[in-house]
Structure formats: structure tokens, C-alpha cells
Amino acid sequence: MTRSLLYEGKAKKVYQTDQSNELILSYKNDATAFNGKKKEVFDGKGRFNNLISSHVFHYLAEHDIPSHFIKKLNDTEQLVKKTTIIPLEVVVRNRATGSIVKRLGFEENRPFHPPLIEFFYKEDALDDPIINDQHALLLTDATDKELEQIKAYALRVNDVLMNLFDSIGVTLVDFKLEFGRDLLGQIVLADEISPDTCRLWDKETDAKLDKDVFRQGTGDLLTVYDTILKRLEAIK
Ligand code: 5GP
């Protein structure tokens, strides 16, 4: 398969394949936080992100959530459908922690029933600010109907993934999704779902099994990503 580099982001490279509607996502070993201000290379990180994200997207497909994911190619790469990404970070929260505690003063760990959805504008130069639906309509080409569809998908993803993570002894605290339009113009889930993009806490001990250990310098990233992968592989 011939390939050419289309785009290099902080965590992944994207290659065009010889099929016009198929891309390769290649996961890098770089970990970044605080919009790239903190950076470190972890040998093997790309493999964990790829294998965990492939597992999660496969599981979502089995639960009828449309996404860009086609298949895992090897340890660090996956084949995906080409999409035009809508520049929104869609965050779903089941409990208060992280930026929402700082921003709005919610008590740490306060549960959200129903889960809370927030939109952030994906724009590094602005540090991904939180926005409302009207801002999203002005800043992106998403329609009202598409925003509603995105919110409905985000809640379905939350339901499905809460069950998946619960079955491996993990609480899904919050996570970030990205959506794109496929070549038919349909909204599909895109990007990755991994401990880089989710807060995952051990159900018994509340130990953090996600990128917060790197962001906060409180633990070993590779060890906790390995824990998540091993637990997911054990239920295959
Ligand atoms: P917070 O807004 O509390 O910082 O993050 C909420 C959730 O979304 C967390 O699970 C976090 O990992 C994820 N998230 C938010 N923004 C980003 C981002 O720019 N990159 C990544 N990888 N995850 C993000």
C-alpha cells in the first residue's frame, strides 16, 4: 500500500493511502499536555493508544455507533475512513473533575445525571475555549440538526462505554470525542478513544488509569495504559 503524509498532529500522523477514501492513522510515542507545553516521549505509547482505541472503536461498531474506524493494521497503525473533521471537542462528563471544577466550582466527584455535554472549539491558538451551541453554529459549518445528532451520539457512546469500562473494573469519569463527515456527508465518530482522551479511574481504588498521571506527574503512563489494555484484552 503506497502512502503519503497528509498531516502530523501532536499524537498521530495521518497518511493518505492509494484508496481515496481511506487514511492510515499512525500513533506516535509523544505525550503532550497543556496544549503542547508539557511534552515527553514514551517508547511503546503509540502501541497502547492504537490497540486500546482499536478495541474501543470495534466495540462501538458492535453497538451500532457509526465511526471512521475500518480496522487495526498493526501495533501502531489503523485504517480509517476519510472524514472532514468538525473542529469541536465534545466532552461528556459523568462526574465533576478537571476543568469543570476549576471553571465553575463544582465539588470534585459530584455526579452528573444526566451526563453533562460540553463543546470546546478545537483551535490551538485559542487554547480550545469552551463554547455554546450558537458559537458552534457560527464557528463551524455544522448545522443545528448535526449538533443535535452529535449530542445524541455522544450520549450513546457514553452509555456503551460506561458498560465496557465497568466490565473491566473501571469508572468512565469523562472523555472527549471528535466527529467528522464521511464522503457521503454523514456524521461519524472520528479521532481516537484511549486513556489520552478519557478519565478512567479504578472502580475499587479510584486510582487514575489515564493521561492525568502524566499531566499531574503522579504516576507512570506506560504502566497505567498497560493496565487498561490488559484488562480489555482479558474480556475479548
Ligand atoms: P477537561 O476539560 O476536564 O480538561 O477534560 C475533560 C475530558 O476530555 C478528559 O477526559 C480529557 O482527557 C479530555 N480532553 C479534553 N480536551 C482534550 C484534548 O485537547 N486532548 C485530549 N487528548 N483529551 C482532551
Side-chain angles (χ1 to χ4, degrees):
M1 198 189 298
T2 57
R3 57 165 78 183
S4 58
L5 184 66
L6 267 188
Y7 169 79
E8 179 163 0
K10 291 193 275 274
K12 296 186 277 298
K13 290 182 186 173
V14 183
Y15 294 94
Q16 178 66 58
T17 68
D18 42 23
Q19 301 291 314
S20 64
N21 58 343
E22 293 181 1
L23 304 176
I24 294 171
L25 293 190
S26 178
Y27 286 77
K28 306 199 296 187
N29 285 334
D30 301 9
T32 64
F34 313 118
N35 196 9
K37 288 178 204 84
K38 181 169 180 174
K39 209 167 160 180
E40 202 171 321
V41 178
F42 293 92
D43 282 343
K45 176 179 184 295
R47 172 178 168 271
F48 285 128
N49 285 62
N50 180 48
L51 297 185
I52 294 169
S53 195
S54 293
H55 191 108
V56 169
F57 272 88
H58 182 75
Y59 187 83
L60 289 171
E62 286 177 346
H63 290 80
D64 299 323
I65 310 265
S67 84
H68 71 160
F69 182 75
I70 299 172
K71 64 177 179 182
K72 181 179 80 183
L73 290 174
N74 55 50
D75 268 3
T76 56
E77 296 181 323
Q78 52 188 237
L79 193 66
V80 300
K81 276 197 265 179
K82 191 171 198 162
T83 61
T84 314
I85 295 286
I86 296 165
L88 288 177
E89 297 196 337
V90 181
V91 168
V92 181
R93 298 180 192 272
N94 295 305
R95 297 191 197 187
T97 193
S99 74
I100 198 166
V101 169
K102 291 201 190 97
R103 215 175 335 107
L104 297 174
F106 283 112
E107 192 183 339
E108 182 75 26
N109 243 332
R110 174 209 197 279
F112 293 121
H113 299 298
L116 189 63
I117 300 183
E118 293 177 331
F119 287 149
F120 294 81
Y121 182 39
K122 195 172 149 64
E123 176 56 67
D124 280 348
L126 298 173
D127 263 347
D128 299 345
I130 188 165
I131 58 172
N132 67 23
D133 289 30
Q134 286 170 294
H135 295 134
L137 290 173
L138 290 166
L139 289 165
T140 75
D141 63 357
T143 63
D144 241 329
K145 202 174 142 213
E146 286 175 329
L147 290 184
E148 291 313 311
Q149 206 181 350
I150 284 171
K151 285 191 256 184
Y153 278 145
L155 290 177
R156 271 174 61 194
V157 169
N158 187 46
D159 280 345
V160 171
L161 293 191
M162 279 212 302
N163 282 332
L164 172 66
F165 285 111
D166 188 67
S167 73
I168 61 164
V170 167
T171 305
L172 178 62
V173 174
D174 60 27
F175 56 95
K176 182 262 298 179
L177 301 175
E178 294 184 26
F179 291 85
R181 263 188 225 96
D182 66 14
L183 291 186
L184 300 172
Q186 297 297 311
I187 296 286
V188 296
L189 185 62
D191 197 53
E192 71 174 290
I193 301 179
S194 72
D196 269 15
T197 63
C198 303
R199 286 200 173 93
L200 304 171
W201 294 356
D202 184 88
K203 239 164 56 178
E204 295 204 336
T205 65
D206 272 354
K208 290 178 177 163
L209 303 173
D210 57 57
K211 197 162 97 172
D212 271 353
V213 299
F214 167 71
R215 293 188 185 105
Q216 299 166 356
T218 50
D220 182 57
L221 180 144
L222 293 175
T223 304
V224 301
Y225 284 37
D226 188 40
T227 300
I228 295 294
L229 179 61
K230 287 220 173 83
R231 290 194 196 179
L232 285 173
E233 285 179 339
I235 56 159
K236 251 180 201 169

